[in-house]
Amino acid sequence: MGKLSLKGDFPVDKFQTIQTPFYYYDERLLRSTLQTVRAESDKYGYKVHYAVKANANPDILRLIASYGLGADCVSGNEVQAAIAAGFPASSIVFAGVGKTDREISDALSSDIFCFNAESMPELEVINNLAALQGKVARVALRVNPNVDAHTHKKITTGLNENKFGFALDDLLPAARFAIQASHLQLIGIHFHIGSQITDLSAYEDLCVRINELQDTLDAQGVSVPNINVGGGLGINYEHPNHFPMAEFETYFRLFSQHLRLRPGQTLHCEPGRSIVAQCGSLITRVTYVKQGAQKRFVIVDAGMTDLIRPALYDAYHRIENITSDTGEEIYDVVGPICESSDVFLENAHLNVTSRGDLLAIRSAGAYGEIMASRYNLRNLPVGYLF
Ligand code: LLP
């Protein structure tokens, strides 16, 4: 036992002045991540649209927009938040299987770059609503490529059983419809196979599938200027201090090696998690340390309402006691919510922990704050970027 190594380097003094629980976003890490993303994607002229769903904290959105990324949105409110944060409308793509008439009309009024359309009835509605505004809507067709992302079932999206996109066989008829519709302009094909993908060979499989599809489209005389490969690049939840950055270099190189873009075609992608996850931690205070019949519990003031990933996906988040550096004990770290699933981590190895200590729940910058709820009438957590 003894002092645990590899703790994050946190501004604990500053934390002591902030009401817990809260999200802390490390601005330096976010900036260096964005620099890396820009440098690696610029090598190939790829366009990166940040997936706003991962974290829509206004300070985070503004910072990401300032690095020249575009935005990937899945609701009308996300489109508006992206524009308010400084993303040019001309860089916004809008996906989702259930876009409402109102969301489509508003996005048309804002002149977004592209609708990623997911079904025939949606194409018809976009065409009709664009006609009402006297506009031509740019659309990409989201194709369900039936490629296995080898990730958690609940965050797999690109298999035949999933609700997303056009089935492969329906792509050509949909493309023909979009080409002849007077208020649609077909500008791309869109894919997204899943999230938290760490086995990057899944992207090679996607490239193979896209190459085949493009050959089929070529043979039918259909060509599009944009290929969007979606998001999904995974991060290292086990060792956030060793691996603060996702494998951006490998990721972008992989597409340059395996995807046969046609002359003049641009590749787009939509990373969310890999941009914001590692810069964020949920900071929580220990309310009680309790000895149960079998286990010792650390009861903290954050709960599944603040970070639902462990309860919803059995997701692992590393936890560190950032105000204690003595000894090491094993605890279950749990929240105060009246649900047995309100557990952050079983058998957590922490420095000896007492009431009043601060814990950092790591890698929580993506799908953390944004998925918070007010269950049990709890306050929503606040996020701070510094
Ligand atoms: N593009 C599309 C069409 C998507 O559906 C998603 C995520 C992304 C991009 C961004 O994927 P990312 O790079 O963040 O993996 N709440 C879950 C993740 C849900 C992901 C949904 N779609 C979680 O906490 O793991």
Side-chain angles (χ1 to χ4, degrees):
M1 291 215 258
K3 186 176 164 170
L4 282 181
S5 58
L6 275 180
K7 274 216 234 183
D9 192 10
F10 290 102
V12 173
D13 288 348
K14 199 155 178 183
F15 286 177
Q16 297 290 7
T17 65
I18 304 174
Q19 177 75 46
T20 52
F22 63 91
Y23 277 90
Y24 162 63
Y25 302 113
D26 178 344
E27 181 172 344
R28 238 180 38 181
L29 178 56
L30 181 55
R31 282 184 185 278
S32 66
T33 304
L34 289 164
Q35 265 156 16
T36 304
V37 169
R38 276 309 302 258
E40 294 303 327
S41 58
D42 283 355
K43 279 185 189 168
Y44 311 102
Y46 296 164
K47 295 263 184 299
V48 179
H49 305 259
Y50 166 65
V52 172
K53 66 172 78 67
N55 189 321
N57 179 295
D59 293 337
I60 299 245
L61 288 185
R62 272 192 293 273
L63 189 73
I64 296 175
S66 77
Y67 279 75
L69 272 65
D72 160 41
C73 300
V74 287
S75 72
N77 288 348
E78 282 193 1
V79 172
Q80 296 316 317
I83 291 173
F87 290 93
S90 59
S91 76
I92 294 179
V93 296
F94 184 8
V97 293
K99 302 176 194 78
T100 64
D101 292 22
R102 170 115 192 232
E103 290 177 311
I104 292 169
S105 295
D106 287 352
L108 280 166
S109 304
S110 300
D111 270 327
I112 63 162
F113 172 61
C114 182
F115 291 86
N116 290 332
E118 310 221 9
S119 66
M120 269 320 250
E122 183 192 335
L123 280 178
E124 284 164 17
V125 170
I126 298 176
N127 186 46
N128 293 339
L129 294 173
L132 284 180
Q133 292 193 21
K135 289 191 169 166
V136 173
R138 287 171 293 274
V139 295
L141 302 178
R142 177 169 180 177
V143 178
N144 184 334
N146 198 25
V147 168
D148 192 347
H150 307 294
T151 182
H152 193 292
K153 183 171 166 40
K154 287 196 179 155
I155 50 176
T156 291
T157 43
L159 288 178
N160 278 343
E161 67 197 53
N162 299 125
K163 69 179 176 184
F164 300 99
F166 287 91
L168 281 170
D169 291 345
D170 297 335
L171 174 62
L172 258 177
R176 292 222 167 87
F177 174 83
I179 288 168
Q180 57 79 34
S182 46
H183 293 273
L184 299 180
Q185 183 189 0
L186 178 64
I187 66 160
I189 311 284
H190 173 239
F191 305 83
H192 174 74
I193 54 175
S195 200
Q196 183 52 15
I197 295 170
T198 50
D199 173 0
L200 296 193
S201 69
Y203 288 114
E204 293 182 24
D205 296 345
L206 175 63
C207 289
V208 170
R209 187 55 49 87
I210 298 176
N211 290 338
E212 289 166 4
L213 258 183
Q214 290 234 78
D215 290 343
T216 310
L217 291 178
D218 282 352
Q220 299 294 322
V222 176
S223 65
V224 291
N226 299 289
I227 298 291
N228 184 333
V229 294
L233 178 62
I235 60 132
N236 191 316
Y237 281 96
E238 277 74 29
H239 305 290
N241 298 315
H242 267 145
F243 302 101
M245 201 88 75
E247 292 187 60
F248 293 113
E249 192 195 338
T250 316
Y251 173 77
F252 290 115
R253 184 161 21 87
L254 187 151
F255 290 106
S256 79
Q257 288 172 339
H258 297 275
L259 192 63
R260 285 189 280 115
L261 288 178
R262 305 302 191 247
Q265 256 183 351
T266 304
L267 182 139
H268 300 250
C269 64
E270 306 167 339
R273 185 191 318 266
S274 54
I275 292 185
V276 288
Q278 294 295 37
C279 77
S281 296
L282 176 58
I283 308 298
T284 180
R285 200 175 284 283
V286 175
T287 313
Y288 300 107
V289 178
K290 161 177 166 172
Q291 180 64 57
Q294 288 178 8
K295 294 178 141 194
R296 195 161 23 183
F297 296 100
V298 167
I299 303 169
V300 294
D301 61 3
M304 63 192 280
T305 53
D306 304 293
L307 176 66
I308 200 172
R309 301 193 71 258
L312 194 57
Y313 314 116
D314 293 322
Y316 171 79
H317 286 261
R318 179 181 164 87
I319 301 182
E320 292 159 1
N321 184 328
I322 55 175
T323 50
S324 161
D325 57 8
T326 50
E328 180 187 321
E329 301 278 0
I330 295 176
Y331 309 92
D332 279 13
V333 179
V334 302
I337 314 290
C338 302
E339 297 269 349
S340 309
S341 54
D342 186 28
V343 174
F344 286 115
L345 186 58
E346 287 180 279
N347 301 316
H349 291 241
L350 299 178
N351 290 126
V352 173
T353 296
S354 327
R355 172 175 163 84
D357 283 353
L358 288 178
L359 306 189
I361 305 182
R362 303 293 306 275
S363 313
Y367 308 108
E369 184 185 349
I370 195 67
M371 291 180 78
S373 80
R374 292 214 55 209
Y375 183 42
N376 284 196
L377 263 192
R378 286 168 55 80
N379 295 327
L380 289 173
V382 177
Y384 300 93
L385 175 74
F386 53 84

